[in-house]
């Protein structure tokens, strides 16, 4: 079996929809990955250990999904030097503004590559991971260019249908 | 020398004004305490170790001061069961809204007792620590009642001066 | 019958779901508590009297649940020196940002230990009360450590199920 | 000496600039008033007593100035049926958004007539008090109409100077 | 038929629920009032005329309900010296933050007495109008005191039922 | 003298810096214009009359500058069918978020063409007015294309200096 | 067939409801227009080409509808000198605040005429386009005046029905 | 001369401080880079051309710095598949909330790796670029580990000095 290059880590099983969105996007691009539930607050030791061994295990990027005071991405980033991509989950009260600020406003020294709130962000996190991997994987780079072209073509087709209606 | 009952921990030396505000309030109430600089992101191991040994060392409360994506309080709280009081530092861009949400919106299971943004919060964090300690320290309880009375008297005196002006 | 150590006070019967969340968490940890409906604005005398007699009645912490211009926690805190934990209720228009700021931004001298907005906050308020009580109750301290371990185990089990799927 | 018809109450001496703005506006309109420093949190008994005797003392309106988790207006309103006008003070971190929401989002049953944040609000609070008093004071009503006309004339004069420049 | 003392004005028929809330509260207190649909933007002449004749028609207060860039209260206030009470309607996108700021942040010279967003605000606007009228109507003053007492009793009854459960 | 095609209207003389920014931009493009101080709230009649005669006087666009509960643009737009461009002034407490929402969130039927907060918005308002006028003025259209080219060239020159440094 | 004077461009087919709202309003006023789906990010070349040829094709205004980091209006505005009207789409997490700020806060030199968030904005964008076209089309100007009168009459009729109820 | 691996692109010369922060961090890590001023709105062709040739020129990452309606990062990302890191500049009115949302809330398909607002973000953008490059550059990977260790040591030294004071 192929070793995973990307890990998708969520703070709670309730983020399953976001995990699936990221996972299916990575699969579509043929990127081997693993899915994990690790909480920065409820399983801090596991979070630390996971991050500190990630590079040695061959992971090239970590996608961290969390909501509210979303510390997961930052905590993982503090223990590894591979890029950590943060996906702020939508929250029922503040819409995800809390998750966003907790993820993106990282203090000096430890960056988190933050993407949009919610499902859009989950998909884009996978695409960002793909862009990073494609820097040293020509085959993936070509698959990614095709994927991009597909996006364009979809919009162009919508445009044709729409402007003719 | 008296062993500290409270630890004031800040994520960076730049939070010195807030540390001093909390420290001088604790001193005023005669509460032995220690002051530490520990970063959740730049010194994660230290943060973990500090928190996991805090209870055994005799600490009864931790005051955690941090700004931006302020994870310090949450990270410490994940490794101890003594109360962690979070002080969101004011930030130059978002005023401290980022620090506040990152501190207060803790997910289910790991609470952080959050107080106001900035210097007011630093003072109130010390007072909250005192209230917690006073539950099992009758002498401190009386000193705290006096402190409270002093607050009232100060306002009443301002009122007299003001209404006569 | 055991005297209550914690009081859960809500500003209105409409906060019943939050009261129940806090109450069941306290019960799970074996902490005797009482449930009250007291409005800072509609029953101000009661609020004042409740708070000013709370310590003498043996209460060790008050959990105050309120929404919108949520003054309940602050009003109670002004009349007692036992810790007051504020739970900002979610609001239908501003999501609870109003409740949060009204609860957490307490002016100098009178702290309120604020937790997250809504149901998560209600649960965490109970846990924070437990952490405070556990400082001088070794048996509760052990029950709380077990509870924490349960949280970790739940996440670890979710992780196993998830990563194998 | 004339008995005061309006009371200007601030939660702290630091709000002096706002008190002065309201006071000078009331004086300009010839409205007798008193100035007080009363804190909802540090002098709760005084706040309660002040409000509950306000009507009997002949007061027709209370202007309450406070910042952060600004409970003063709401606390006073809970103990009187004369109109309470709330002025949210500007805050150094959140700009006064905290003061505004804590003042205006009063729960059902106890209204606070809220005006703008800061100095503009302090002036407008005095004008609102004047409008309320003018309902049953024809002489004040005429003075107020003149004041309004003055406002118009000032703008018209600025317009002339400006459009000719 | 009794002449109206209060006018409830809304910018659009879609605010009907808020109008009804204010109206039923005024009726409960026996205050004669009228209900109007006047748009500051779509019927500006009407708005101006309505406000400029309001005082002469015997109106003592105007309750203005509007959403989004809610100019209605301000526009009416610019043409009358009787108190204008602004109710910011909840909006589907920004929750009513837009309505609130457009209503409360009135520039120097023309105050609007702003209450909470939505239905709570509509009820409280009626109560504020009652408080203003009660200043010179002893009978209403007594009815209002009774209403207040009813509020307290309701909370106290909820408290009894709740604490016994 | 040439009749003005654009009017710059501000709610207060304190907005002079914004008026000057818009005015100098219009002058740079050779567009005759007038500058006015008219307050929607303090001089409502003037505002109404100004707007209702604007089209007949030959004006093609109105730039309305106002802060806080910024009703000026909306009030003018309610009395004319020429385009009204709204410039939200920066405010000292909320940064201009109040001005922005009060200007842009116009209800259905009466649009205001809103630009950025503050000085940037004042310049862009003038440019937008120029774009509108250029639709039927070929000479202005060419001047505007040159202006645009100048913007590009400035950035390109900065780029050269910068990348060589 | 009549050549379009206005183009309605949306970033995605999911904005169909907003496109229809703008389109039906333009149709009601007899303004020929076209509907397009063009994404600033997924079809950047198309966006550039569309905008750079818009003026030559006879378009007088572009209505650009987009959500989240809504760059469409700005990107189109950078390649044309005809007015671009931006409609910020409502978003499920932040309510459209992200779309609004991304559309309205355009930097110096390239204005976007921004209207309200969502469906109200879509309708008002069409009306603003009509106001711009009406500057040089007397017949449309008259149709627009009638439309405005219709708005007034609708409110007046609602008022009659309402005040009689 | 070494070919640049990273490009730092800012929308305006006024962002010079942020460019320098990113540049000096890259230099410290020995990463060859170029600095550019390219505006998404004022020089759209250049932006498009720069991005579409970036990969072929050997660039591995682009750091895009922009404020207000910050479209630069998104526009560049639409024309390349190498990772684009967005730095939201602080703004004088909204603190950078506008820049942040315009950068991070990218729609589905085109991610931008967003970091914190302002100078902290500029430094972290450089570090994120380094982390990406280090995935396939063992020497840089080691330099980066050293840099990280330096961060830890600095905090530990501050801690020693502080706790001894």
């Amino acid at each position: 079996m192929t070793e995973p290059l990307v890990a998708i880590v969520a703070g709670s099983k309730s983020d399953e929809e976001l995990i699936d969105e990221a996972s299916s996007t990575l699969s579509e691009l043929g990127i081997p990955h693993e899915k994990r539930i690790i909480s920065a607050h409820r399983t801090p030791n596991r979070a630390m250990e996971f991050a500190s061994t990630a590079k040695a295990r061959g992971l090239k990027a970590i996608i961290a999904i969390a909501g509210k005071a979303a510390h997961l991405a930052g905590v993982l980033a503090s223990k590894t030097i591979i890029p950590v991509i943060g996906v702020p989950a939508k929250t029922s009260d503040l819409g995800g503004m809390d998750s966003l600020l907790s993820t993106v406003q990282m203090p000096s020294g430890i960056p988190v590559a933050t993407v949009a709130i919610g499902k859009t962000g989950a998909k884009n996190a996978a695409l960002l991971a793909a862009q990073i991997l494609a820097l040293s994987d020509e085959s993936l780079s070509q698959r990614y260019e095709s994927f991009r072209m597909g996006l364009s073509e979809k919009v162009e087709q919508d445009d044709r249908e729409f402007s003719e209606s």
Side-chain angles (χ1 to χ4, degrees), chain A:
Chain A
M1 202 188 110
T2 327
E3 287 302 305
L5 294 173
V6 177
I8 305 169
V9 185
S12 142
K13 229 172 106 174
S14 64
D15 298 317
E16 190 160 357
E17 193 194 9
L18 300 186
I19 301 173
D20 289 349
E21 182 76 12
S23 176
S24 65
T25 307
L26 287 174
S27 296
E28 194 183 338
L29 289 160
I31 298 172
H33 60 280
E34 65 183 13
K35 300 187 288 183
R36 301 293 302 272
I37 305 288
I38 301 175
S39 162
H41 298 120
R42 281 164 294 179
T43 56
N45 293 351
R46 234 170 218 244
M48 300 293 265
E49 198 214 333
F50 170 82
S52 58
T53 58
K55 188 166 175 254
R57 285 177 50 225
L59 288 172
K60 301 296 186 193
I62 298 170
I63 294 172
I65 301 168
K68 294 183 183 277
H71 300 186
L72 183 60
V75 162
L76 298 179
S78 76
K79 292 293 291 179
T80 186
I81 68 164
I82 64 172
V84 176
I85 301 169
V87 181
K90 182 177 165 185
T91 50
S92 65
D93 33 30
L94 301 181
M97 182 54 88
D98 43 358
S99 319
L100 172 58
L101 296 178
S102 303
T103 303
V104 77
Q105 285 290 77
M106 287 293 290
S108 186
I110 311 289
V112 165
T114 307
V115 291
I117 297 168
K119 215 170 157 184
T120 299
K123 185 182 199 81
N124 278 357
L127 296 178
L128 182 56
Q131 288 182 281
I132 291 170
L133 291 172
L135 288 172
S136 54
D137 177 343
E138 189 50 35
S139 157
L140 174 58
S141 181
Q142 285 173 19
R143 291 200 303 280
Y144 197 79
E145 295 273 17
S146 300
F147 169 85
R148 268 281 179 91
M149 219 162 292
L151 287 182
S152 300
E153 278 160 17
K154 179 69 177 56
V155 175
E156 287 169 17
Q157 189 181 325
D158 286 349
D159 185 27
R160 275 192 301 276
E161 283 171 28
F162 213 87
S163 53
E164 281 161 12
S165 73

